[in-house]
């Protein structure tokens, strides 16, 4: 059936139904307002298909994730991140020649303009690296101007710049904060090895690559490379739809990713596990608190998955492998396993379809690989960059590309008379009341919160958090 009928007040409106490759259906509401005067209301877009896309297929009921038709499990086991970046961007797995040339382009695009290094010096020492990444990626727009008309070659170069330079900026940010000189990318190293070398080698010590760590980080990046129309990718499409500069577009995706409901959750999980461990709880008390809504079990639940997130399952088995290596064990892994076991037997979590998501085990992998806590979400951003770019590219080439501009249902005051300044009293406006509250210091945004905070106050995780500084 390719038509749906909506009946409102006895009037029937026939609407087209779009059917996807896997049979999923979407009622096309594009002309709905023009025909009925009504809009659709879907807060949080839980039920809105914002575009047609040929990049990633996700079935949250069955726990299926595929990039360009290939199961995530197979890509994670058999591919490298750079191949997956190519696949997402161009739609096919690369031939050896295409892979060579794509890798070469990534290598030759990996340096950032030397003048950009001065920017790093101007950030406070306790700045979160996601703040730096957002800013530095946006500023790439000023160093690498993008012509209005982009041919395939320029577009390919822009994509290579971003995939490669996000990684370089990430590593330089870390070096700035530990007070070491930046280590430049090297054409002799592959993508992940290059990143680890930029992070951990120094003029006085070489970084010894561990193939298991390299494989773990590569797999982490593959698993994070795309995830359909999530918050940051939707942001990328939203900002990109105005035809904004592509560097600003990717920077907006990074900003959206930072939030703890999204990519920031991988830090929150480690923070949660560390506090459970410190408190001596075996996880049971925390589960009770989560059920009583005092806390959230971070790394659990997902808007789309109503069963196991396939990425979490891959990361869990990777955790078993990596953390069993000498020196890499972590008691937080036992807590995580116990939390998962308890939650999956509990009516609260089962009835709400709350299962581990990608962030539940990823922080443990990153920690075992030596990645500092504050860099976790940055690693997510490196992984997600090809997915954002693939969506940006798809939108750019789409015939239906229009500026994204949702509607709303207005629920504010109806038309009222203007009040002259000398006739206004606090009771007529609650804005003054809100300000009184905040300046008294009891409000959420007290004036104290607006001054720069020293590192100790920004660090909410004691030892974990201080790893970065
Ligand atoms: N712990 C305890 N209760 C939860 C959790 C959780 N992690 N997640 C959802 N719930 C409860 C929630 O309280 C609500 O209960 P009730 O029906 O009694 O009001 C119900 O489950 C539905 O939750 P929701 O917040 O309406 O669901 P959502 O689809 O809007 O939010 C989510 C999805 C991922 C933001 C949420 O599950 C969450 O906050 N999880 C923890 C943060 C996290 O792990 N985020 C990473 C997401 S995956 C990676 C990514 O996309 O970046």
């Amino acid at each position: 059936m390719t038509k749906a009928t909506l009946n409102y007040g006895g009037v029937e409106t026939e609407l087209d139904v779009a059917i996807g490759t896997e049979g999923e259906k979407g009622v096309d509401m594009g002309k709905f307002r023009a025909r009925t005067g009504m809009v659709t209301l879907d807060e949080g877009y839980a039920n809105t298909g914002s575009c047609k896309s040929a990049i990633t297929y996700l079935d949250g009921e069955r726990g299926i994730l595929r990039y360009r038709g290939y199961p995530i499990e197979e890509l994670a086991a058999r591919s490298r991140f750079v191949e997956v970046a190519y696949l997402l961007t161009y739609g096919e797995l690369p031939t050896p020649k295409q892979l060579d040339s794509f890798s070469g382009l990534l290598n030759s695009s990996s340096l950032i303009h030397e003048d950009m290094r001065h920017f790093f010096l101007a950030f406070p020492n306790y700045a979160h690296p996601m703040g730096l990444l957002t800013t530095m990626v946006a500023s790439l727009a000023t160093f690498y101007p993008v012509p209005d008309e982009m041919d395939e070659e320029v577009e390919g170069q822009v994509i290579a710049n971003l995939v490669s330079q996000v990684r370089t900026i990430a590593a330089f940010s870390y070096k700035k904060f530990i007070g070491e000189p930046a280590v430049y990318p090297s054409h002799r190293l592959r993508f992940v090895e290059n990143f680890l070398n930029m992070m951990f080698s120094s003029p006085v010590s070489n970084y010894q690559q561990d193939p298991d760590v390299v494989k773990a980080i590569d797999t982490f990046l593959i698993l994070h490379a795309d995830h359909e129309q999530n918050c940051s990718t939707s942001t990328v499409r939203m900002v990109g739809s105005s035809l904004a500069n592509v560097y600003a577009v990717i920077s907006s995706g990074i900003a959206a990713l930072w939030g703890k409901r999204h990519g920031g959750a991988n830090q929150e999980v480690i923070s949660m596990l560390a506090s459970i461990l410190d408190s001596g709880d075996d996880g049971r008390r925390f589960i009770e608190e989560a059920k009583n809504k005092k806390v959230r079990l971070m790394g659990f639940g997902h808007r789309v998955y109503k069963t196991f997130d396939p990425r979490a399952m891959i990361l869990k088995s990777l955790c078993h492998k990596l953390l069993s290596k000498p020196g890499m064990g972590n008691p937080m892994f036992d807590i995580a396993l116990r939390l998962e076991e308890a939650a999956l037997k509990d009516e609260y979590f089962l009835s709400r379809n709350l299962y581990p998501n990608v962030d539940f085990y990823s922080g443990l992998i990153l920690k075992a690989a030596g990645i500092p806590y504050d860099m976790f979400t940055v690693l997510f951003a490196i992984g997600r960059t090809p997915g954002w770019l693939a969506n940006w590219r798809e939108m750019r080439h789409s015939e239906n590309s229009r500026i994204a501009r949702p509607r709303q249902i207005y629920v504010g005051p109806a038309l009222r008379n203007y009040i002259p300044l000398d006739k206004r009293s606090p009771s007529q406006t609650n804005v003054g009341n809100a300000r009184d509250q905040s300046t008294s210091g009891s409000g959420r945004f007290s004036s104290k919160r607006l001054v720069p905070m020293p590192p100790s106050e920004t660090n909410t995780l004691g030892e974990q958090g201080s790893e970065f500084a």
Side-chain angles (χ1 to χ4, degrees):
M1 236 185 332
T2 54
K3 299 279 179 201
T5 310
L6 185 127
N7 185 325
Y8 183 74
V11 181
E12 291 200 338
T13 310
E14 200 169 71
L15 298 154
D16 289 339
V17 174
I19 303 181
T21 316
E22 300 289 337
E24 72 275 29
K25 297 181 188 71
V27 180
D28 187 340
M29 306 304 281
K31 299 206 167 58
F32 187 58
R33 188 173 182 278
R35 290 167 59 185
T36 65
M38 292 190 285
V39 298
T40 52
L41 178 64
D42 179 19
E43 290 184 51
Y45 305 127
N47 198 45
T48 294
S50 60
C51 60
K52 288 183 188 155
S53 176
I55 302 170
T56 289
Y57 173 66
L58 176 51
D59 180 335
E61 274 73 33
R62 293 191 293 155
I64 294 173
L65 175 62
R66 294 180 202 142
Y67 297 161
R68 301 282 189 184
Y70 294 104
I72 191 67
E73 293 80 2
E74 217 172 333
L75 291 170
R78 303 176 63 177
S79 264
R80 285 196 297 121
F81 174 65
V82 170
E83 271 182 283
V84 170
Y86 185 99
L87 169 71
L88 286 168
T89 311
Y90 298 109
E92 297 296 336
L93 284 166
T95 61
K97 197 164 162 237
Q98 286 166 332
L99 182 59
D100 247 23
S101 123
F102 188 57
S103 298
L105 186 60
L106 291 181
N107 255 329
S108 63
S109 315
S110 60
L111 283 172
I112 53 170
H113 195 291
E114 195 62 12
D115 289 350
M116 284 185 75
R117 295 223 0 249
H118 300 303
F119 293 177
F120 286 98
L121 303 177
F123 287 101
N125 276 351
Y126 47 86
H128 194 285
M130 282 298 278
L132 256 90
L133 193 66
T134 319
T135 315
M136 296 297 280
V137 169
S139 68
L140 286 171
T142 63
F143 284 88
Y144 301 91
V146 178
D148 278 344
E149 293 300 321
M150 246 188 278
D151 60 19
E152 213 177 301
E153 196 185 339
V154 175
E155 185 191 78
Q157 182 61 62
V158 163
I159 289 171
N161 280 358
L162 274 156
V163 171
S164 207
Q165 292 173 343
V166 162
R167 173 194 59 167
T168 307
I169 292 171
F172 280 19
S173 313
Y174 174 60
K175 285 297 194 189
K176 183 241 151 51
F177 286 113
I178 57 169
E180 283 188 6
V183 173
Y184 288 98
S186 160
H187 65 93
R188 282 191 292 272
L189 296 171
R190 285 177 151 185
F191 193 91
V192 172
E193 285 93 328
N194 220 336
F195 173 65
L196 293 171
N197 190 58
M198 283 191 272
M199 287 279 290
F200 300 123
S201 72
S202 84
V204 291
S205 66
N206 284 329
Y207 173 69
Q208 293 301 323
Q209 305 273 355
D210 174 338
D212 290 331
V213 168
V214 172
K215 174 67 187 158
I217 298 293
D218 203 290
T219 307
F220 171 96
L221 296 178
I222 291 173
L223 297 180
H224 287 76
D226 197 44
H227 208 233
E228 210 225 39
Q229 301 311 314
N230 56 86
C231 175
S232 57
T233 303
S234 301
T235 303
V236 160
R237 280 192 180 252
M238 170 73 82
V239 178
S241 78
S242 76
L243 305 184
N245 181 286
V246 57
Y247 295 100
V249 168
I250 298 304
S251 169
S252 73
I254 297 170
L257 185 75
W258 192 358
K260 64 181 174 188
R261 283 180 177 169
H262 192 9
N266 60 11
Q267 276 196 237
E268 298 291 321
V269 170
I270 291 294
S271 178
M272 171 187 80
L273 295 175
S275 74
I276 294 175
L277 193 64
D278 282 355
S279 70
D281 176 21
D282 63 357
R284 269 180 279 189
R285 197 167 61 222
F286 193 90
I287 291 278
E288 286 312 308
E289 285 179 359
K291 286 160 62 176
N292 293 329
K293 316 271 188 205
K294 289 191 187 136
V295 290
R296 275 215 162 188
L297 180 54
M298 298 309 287
F300 253 71
H302 199 277
R303 172 62 62 77
V304 182
Y305 290 115
K306 300 303 162 207
T307 180
F308 283 92
D309 176 340
R311 303 167 302 170
M313 290 163 79
I314 297 170
L315 287 168
K316 183 178 173 184
S317 73
L318 202 55
C319 258
H320 276 295
K321 192 171 169 212
L322 199 64
L323 273 64
S324 63
K325 278 176 73 105
M328 288 197 178
N330 188 332
M332 284 194 271
F333 185 37
D334 297 328
I335 302 269
L337 292 171
R338 253 179 270 150
L339 283 173
E340 180 187 332
E341 198 188 336
L344 295 182
K345 281 189 201 138
D346 195 296
E347 179 55 21
Y348 173 93
F349 294 91
L350 291 175
S351 63
R352 290 171 178 76
N353 296 317
L354 300 172
Y355 293 88
N357 61 48
V358 70
D359 292 316
F360 196 62
Y361 289 107
S362 66
L364 289 166
I365 304 244
L366 296 181
K367 206 167 154 27
I371 304 293
Y373 172 75
D374 274 349
M375 289 290 287
F376 288 5
T377 315
V378 172
L379 268 280
F380 193 152
I382 298 174
R384 186 56 54 89
T385 300
W388 290 327
L389 285 163
N391 275 273
W392 168 80
R393 183 175 180 272
E394 183 175 71
M395 186 176 65
R396 214 174 91 72
H397 291 286
S398 161
E399 282 170 11
N400 305 322
S401 167
R402 301 173 75 191
I403 189 161
R405 205 307 188 180
R407 298 267 184 168
Q408 64 167 20
I409 300 292
Y410 174 71
V411 294
L415 179 66
R416 51 185 175 162
N417 292 329
Y418 181 80
I419 309 165
L421 185 58
D422 60 344
K423 300 268 181 335
R424 289 172 214 161
S425 66
S427 62
Q428 282 165 321
T429 157
N430 56 16
V431 177
N433 297 340
R435 211 190 65 215
D436 287 351
Q437 235 182 41
S438 70
T439 46
S440 72
S442 59
R444 194 164 153 231
F445 298 105
S446 70
S447 54
K448 191 165 165 260
R449 295 292 299 255
L450 297 176
V451 299
M453 287 190 274
S456 60
E457 279 188 49
T458 59
N459 175 353
T460 52
L461 194 60
E463 214 191 315
Q464 287 293 331
S466 64
E467 273 178 35
F468 189 68

